[in-house]
Amino acid sequence: KAGVTQTPRYLIKTRGQQVTLSCSPISGHRSVSWYQQTPGQGLQFLFEYFSETQRNKGNFPGRFSGRQFSNSRSEMNVSTLELGDSALYLCASSLGPMNYEQYFGPGTRLTVT
Amino acid sequence: SQQGEEDPQALSIQEGENATMNCSYKTSINNLQWYRQNSGRGLVHLILIRSNEREKHSGRLRVTLDTSKKSSSLLITASRAADTASYFCATDHPQGGSEKLVFGKGTKLTVNP
């Protein structure tokens, strides 16, 4: 079974731009979660989607948004990028809700200059 | 604030020794999970232990959970250089009827050959 894939793996953007990251979950997994990882704040939960519906949302500003498609693939969008958005963005998929085992992708490293 | 907090923040041992990492959390949980992350890559799930379980084993890994003390420990026996990684505990955290998974800041383990 193929693992969770994320594209792109690396991205460099400038302040004020927007960015879209993509995540393809493991086949059969219907839940996709997104996390932001920084050296200072660690791993922080962004949001979770299940069957195209956002089930949970972390404490991030409205500039961070996401969606899930009918094939369970998910995208997250960050608008009006700030320097502090530089981070590793991780996507995880699971069979069920968040307290199930999460399978993580390799992440997208976003650098905002 | 973080639900799970790992201790110690960093641990350096020799190959063949055992490594013990601890995790404390603040509120009641349904389950607790341990993950490993190598060099800024995606996380790999190690073990999930439910709140009604006290101990779980997987190969060289042993996890204990003490709900009265709100703490868990991860023991890696006979460590290898390949065990060098950051280890995170994650707890489910009810949030207004739904859930989110909250990660601690991790323990950075270095196993010296």
Side-chain angles (χ1 to χ4, degrees), chain A residues 88-105:
Chain A
L88 180 67
Y89 289 89
L90 293 163
C91 162
S93 74
S94 63
L95 280 169
M98 298 205 65
N99 58 359
Y100 279 59
E101 176 180 335
Q102 304 275 307
Y103 293 82
F104 282 82

Side-chain angles (χ1 to χ4, degrees), chain B residues 11-90:
Chain B
L11 182 60
S12 182
I13 60 174
Q14 295 301 121
E15 218 167 18
E17 293 181 338
N18 295 342
T20 299
M21 287 157 270
N22 303 297
C23 169
S24 59
Y25 56 92
K26 296 183 175 121
T27 60
S28 296
I29 58 171
N30 292 320
N31 62 58
L32 184 146
Q33 304 181 48
W34 283 92
Y35 288 82
R36 182 187 73 223
Q37 185 178 37
N38 294 90
S39 306
R41 295 182 184 172
L43 281 76
V44 174
H45 183 269
L46 297 176
I47 285 186
L48 182 153
I49 186 164
R50 303 201 183 280
S51 59
N52 61 354
E53 297 175 310
R54 292 296 168 258
E55 190 171 308
K56 214 161 180 183
H57 297 253
S58 176
R60 296 183 295 112
L61 306 180
R62 172 179 168 248
V63 167
T64 60
L65 179 64
D66 187 335
T67 52
S68 66
K69 294 181 180 177
K70 292 187 172 60
S71 68
S72 173
S73 68
L74 169 67
L75 168 67
I76 303 173
T77 60
S79 64
R80 306 166 182 168
D83 295 328
T84 295
S86 291
Y87 292 82
F88 297 87
C89 69

Side-chain angles (χ1 to χ4, degrees), chain A residues 55-101:
Chain A
R55 285 186 71 244
N56 296 291
K57 192 176 190 306
N59 298 322
F60 278 81
R63 301 185 295 108
F64 291 81
S65 63
R67 59 178 175 166
Q68 186 181 34
F69 301 97
S70 57
N71 61 358
S72 294
R73 191 176 69 84
S74 177
E75 288 181 348
M76 68 162 280
N77 185 275
V78 188
S79 62
T80 320
L81 284 165
E82 300 176 0
L83 294 179
D85 296 333
S86 294
L88 180 67
Y89 289 89
L90 293 163
C91 162
S93 74
S94 63
L95 280 169
M98 298 205 65
N99 58 359
Y100 279 59
E101 176 180 335

